[in-house]
Amino acid sequence: MSSRALEPLILGRVVGEVVDPFTPTSIRIVVTYNNKLVSNGHEFFPSALTSRPRVEIHGGDLRTFFTLVMTDPDVPGPSDPYLREHIHWIVTDIPGTTDATFGRELVSYESPKPNIGIHRFVFILFKQTRRLSVVTPPLSRDHFNTRRFAADNGLGLPVAAVFFNAQRETAARRR
């Protein structure tokens, strides 16, 4: 995979604000909500995000485990994200040939409910060097720091990431 795979993550300020630059590998994450594929920068309505997505890992093997982090770096709003980051989901010990439902849910899924502006919701995949049997969940969903979480748990740089945008649905759209 080329560095071109990073371009949308750099343009979307995911690389820089949430994670450090990383080298994309052959490992990919495929995230779907009700069979709708998450692509970098695409917009979803919050009403389509109420149940947790299917997250498949491609390119792993039976001896590899992964950690998935889903975070919103734009809380409460993109112009003043003083609660950055808000954690929506953490799953550890995901076997390398399956999907996130086979991992250990450290922080349960919380559906996106942005109030102000357009928010980025970022899925970050880390390759574990070992099983993470003792991971302390964050004390709060707010003020989460993906870099610090990765460092505290020996995860290193991400191997894959994807993000989508969502904003509050207006009453007119909601029917």
Side-chain angles (χ1 to χ4, degrees), residues 9-148:
L9 298 170
I10 293 167
L11 289 171
R13 299 181 334 277
V14 169
V15 169
E17 290 183 5
V18 181
V19 296
D20 291 325
F22 64 96
T23 305
T25 64
S26 59
I27 295 165
R28 293 187 313 121
I29 52 172
V30 177
V31 181
T32 50
Y33 280 97
N34 303 316
N35 297 322
K36 288 189 175 63
L37 182 66
V38 171
S39 303
N40 285 317
H42 286 209
E43 188 163 336
F44 280 80
F45 293 127
S47 59
L49 309 170
T50 53
S51 54
R52 68 183 188 188
R54 179 173 173 84
V55 179
E56 297 171 83
I57 299 168
H58 295 271
D61 60 48
L62 290 167
R63 296 179 307 278
T64 318
F65 291 92
F66 294 91
T67 293
L68 175 76
V69 171
M70 179 187 177
T71 183
D72 174 357
D74 299 317
V75 176
S79 59
D80 184 19
Y82 63 87
L83 296 175
R84 173 181 293 166
E85 300 164 33
H86 183 86
I87 192 69
H88 280 268
W89 199 24
I90 300 177
V91 185
T92 64
D93 294 332
I94 304 166
T97 56
T98 60
D99 64 56
T101 55
F102 291 95
R104 194 163 59 88
E105 201 171 54
L106 187 67
V107 174
S108 62
Y109 178 77
E110 178 185 274
S111 60
K113 294 182 184 73
N115 279 320
I116 307 162
I118 298 172
H119 289 235
R120 295 164 295 162
F121 293 90
V122 188
F123 293 91
I124 306 137
L125 190 69
F126 295 94
K127 185 177 178 181
Q128 299 173 197
T129 53
R130 63 191 192 298
R131 283 190 102 132
L132 301 180
S133 48
V134 190
V135 180
T136 309
L139 299 172
S140 159
R141 286 187 186 259
D142 289 328
H143 303 293
F144 181 78
N145 185 301
T146 299
R147 286 182 182 94
R148 190 169 49 241

